[in-house]
Amino acid sequence: MPDASEQRLIDRINALRVETPSWGYGNSGTRFKVFAQPGAARNIEEKIADAGMVNRLTGICPTVAIHIPWDRAGDWDDLKRWASASGIAIGAVNPNLFQDDEYRLGSLAHPSATVRGRAVDHVRECIEIASTVGSSIVSLWLADGTNYPGQDDLRSRRRRLLASLKQIYADLPRGMRLLVEYKFFEPGFYSTDLPDWGTAYAMCLELGPQAEVLVDTGHHAQGVNIEQIVAQLLDTNRLGGFHFNARKYADDDLIVGSTNPYELFLIFAELTSAEDDVDPAVAACARRVAYMIDQSHNIEPKIEAMVQSVMNIQGAHAKALLVDRERLAGAQLRGDVLEANRVLSEANSTDVRPLLAAARKKLGIDPDPIAALRATGYVEKVSRERGSAAAGSGYPGS
Ligand code: RM4
Ligand code: MN
Ligand code: MN
């Protein structure tokens, strides 16, 4: 029987919520090839059904992020009802500002006012969708950038982008947040209009308190200290959310924690400590952070990959909760460099699997979600029912 402090720990582990992305359940790939997977979800209803399965297995994933127009529904109220029958609510609404022919030179920062206007209208539509489905987050990622020095005037691009964002911000209803995501390169190979957290943060400051920065863990150059970015954004109350994934080289969108488990732990160590910050504004910011997965699976089975990602997030979060904060603060104050470092690595090397099993038992779910998934036969069932949708080349038309 766990004692009272272990019960509190288990309750905190179970209080974590992780949102899964609709696009992680459909076929996706690299620009070279998309390998179709039997049973991959073909529409938003099937994506929601798969998200419902992930939620039943993990107990902590009750929402799914959608991407518009990929997931545009005929009737949003119908979709809402369908989702709630699977135990799912719609989470962040992601506008798509990168797949229209018009966006060759950008969207919100495009040189043409007409194209910028259409891009702004698309985000407005997403705000409306969010209101209709009861979501409080519109999450913005831009492919805007340039490929060659001189291609466009960099200061003009910044001004255009800010003006477009201000138009969007003015339409945000009370209680809705605009999360601004940055990425250092791709598809622009020379410049990206929102390349780093500082640029995104500066835009958010100009917009207002409902604009916050989104950190996608795969969107930094090699070696960047992401946990320090997290600390800066928490301390300035502008950390809005995460897109979790792992990477080895670029924006690889691999299973969370698969290549960088220590980094993931250090990120959670910042977050869990900020939840108890003496400054109530910092604690409030940490407590409203939206934890989302942004992952695409190229060759791995999608539902199992999603469950694995959620479990890796839970592992890093649980380890972060085990950090001995008092011992750490004492060592830091004394300047005991190695003792301070040891406090973190001791928490990180704890085997939290029994703790997580106890937490799942308390939720009334199987302590081993992967074994449970395999035992359901769900993947085989949807493979039979849905078959293989055509996927093909990563370069459509080639
Ligand atoms: C981008 C970025 C966005 C995601 C798209 C599909 O690299 O991470 O968040 O919506 O990919
Ligand atoms: Mn992302
Ligand atoms: Mn990305």
Side-chain angles (χ1 to χ4, degrees):
M1 185 65 193
D3 62 18
S5 77
E6 191 171 324
Q7 279 301 346
R8 275 198 301 278
L9 190 59
I10 285 176
D11 289 343
R12 215 159 152 191
I13 288 171
N14 283 340
L16 183 75
R17 290 289 169 272
V18 177
E19 182 163 305
T20 68
S22 68
W23 54 98
Y25 299 108
N27 277 322
S28 60
T30 66
R31 66 187 195 275
F32 300 101
K33 169 74 180 164
V34 177
F35 294 101
Q37 259 183 41
R42 295 163 299 179
N43 52 45
I44 183 60
E45 286 81 9
E46 292 177 356
K47 291 172 188 174
I48 286 174
D50 291 356
M53 189 66 207
V54 171
N55 185 40
R56 285 196 292 286
L57 293 163
T58 60
I60 64 159
C61 302
T63 59
V64 65
I66 57 172
H67 225 295
I68 308 296
W70 298 340
D71 298 325
R72 192 177 269 131
D75 183 327
W76 289 108
D77 289 317
D78 271 0
L79 190 78
K80 228 171 106 175
R81 272 192 295 276
W82 159 265
S84 94
S86 309
I88 291 290
I90 307 292
V93 179
N94 291 248
N96 184 317
L97 295 168
F98 49 91
Q99 278 190 321
D100 206 291
D101 283 335
E102 299 201 301
Y103 297 147
R104 193 172 75 91
L105 300 176
S107 62
L108 297 179
H110 195 284
S112 145
T114 315
V115 177
R116 290 201 300 281
R118 276 202 278 264
V120 168
D121 283 346
H122 174 58
V123 184
R124 285 188 175 131
E125 183 202 351
C126 291
I127 292 175
E128 266 177 50
I129 292 172
S131 301
T132 312
V133 297
S135 163
S136 60
I137 293 183
V138 168
S139 181
L140 201 66
W141 173 72
L142 303 176
D144 288 51
T146 66
N147 271 358
Y148 293 96
Q151 177 188 321
D152 198 359
D153 181 73
L154 297 178
R155 270 177 292 129
S156 304
R157 289 192 74 85
R158 184 181 185 283
R159 282 174 204 164
R160 289 181 223 132
L161 173 56
L162 183 58
S164 301
L165 286 173
K166 281 186 172 166
Q167 280 180 275
I168 290 163
Y169 189 85
D171 265 22
L172 273 187
R174 250 218 320 269
M176 193 178 290
R177 294 192 277 162
L178 180 72
L179 302 192
V180 181
E181 181 174 354
Y182 58 90
K183 175 168 166 172
F184 75 121
F185 89 114
E186 196 192 39
F189 293 122
Y190 170 65
S191 72
T192 295
D193 290 297
L194 286 170
D196 50 39
W197 76 271
T199 309
Y201 172 70
M203 293 277 173
C204 289
L205 278 190
E206 299 224 38
L207 294 175
Q210 285 166 260
E212 296 179 324
V213 180
L214 184 146
V215 177
D216 183 313
T217 46
H219 287 190
H220 308 85
Q222 294 284 350
V224 165
N225 184 336
I226 301 176
E227 57 274 20
Q228 188 180 18
I229 296 173
V230 170
Q232 309 268 3
L233 288 171
L234 284 167
D235 209 47
T236 51
N237 313 150
R238 289 297 177 131
L239 180 63
F242 280 90
H243 271 177
F244 282 123
N245 50 56
R247 53 73 75 80
K248 180 75 179 159
Y249 298 106
D251 187 21
D252 307 338
D253 287 338
L254 300 174
I255 293 173
V256 185
S258 59
T259 58
N260 56 347
Y262 193 46
E263 178 183 72
L264 188 64
F265 160 77
L266 292 171
I267 290 171
F268 271 108
E270 288 302 327
L271 289 155
T272 51
S273 118
E275 284 176 13
D276 299 323
D277 200 285
V278 286
D279 180 342
V282 174
C285 177
R287 285 164 193 269
R288 67 170 180 262
V289 167
Y291 295 112
M292 301 175 278
I293 292 175
D294 179 5
Q295 214 167 267
S296 329
H297 311 108
N298 301 336
I299 55 167
E300 59 277 53
K302 295 162 198 306
I303 297 172
E304 188 169 321
M306 203 63 85
V307 172
Q308 186 64 60
S309 280
V310 176
M311 291 171 70
N312 290 352
I313 289 173
Q314 281 186 302
H317 175 243
K319 288 175 180 186
L321 291 173
L322 295 178
V323 172
D324 186 337
R325 295 279 157 203
E326 243 171 77
R327 212 175 118 212
L328 180 64
Q332 288 171 342
L333 199 62
R334 288 193 311 277
D336 192 341
V337 177
L338 292 184
E339 170 67 0
N341 177 252
R342 213 162 15 240
V343 173
L344 286 184
S345 39
E346 275 172 19
N348 182 57
S349 40
T350 311
D351 182 359
V352 291
R353 286 173 298 180
L355 188 59
L356 290 172
R360 294 191 184 108
K361 239 172 113 185
K362 193 162 182 194
L363 292 179
I365 58 174
D366 196 301
D368 183 346
I370 297 286
L373 169 65
R374 292 189 170 204
T376 60
Y378 179 83
V379 174
E380 293 74 12
K381 179 173 160 279
V382 294
S383 302
R384 280 193 305 273
E385 287 169 3
R386 299 175 186 168
S388 265
S393 165
Y395 283 108
S398 67

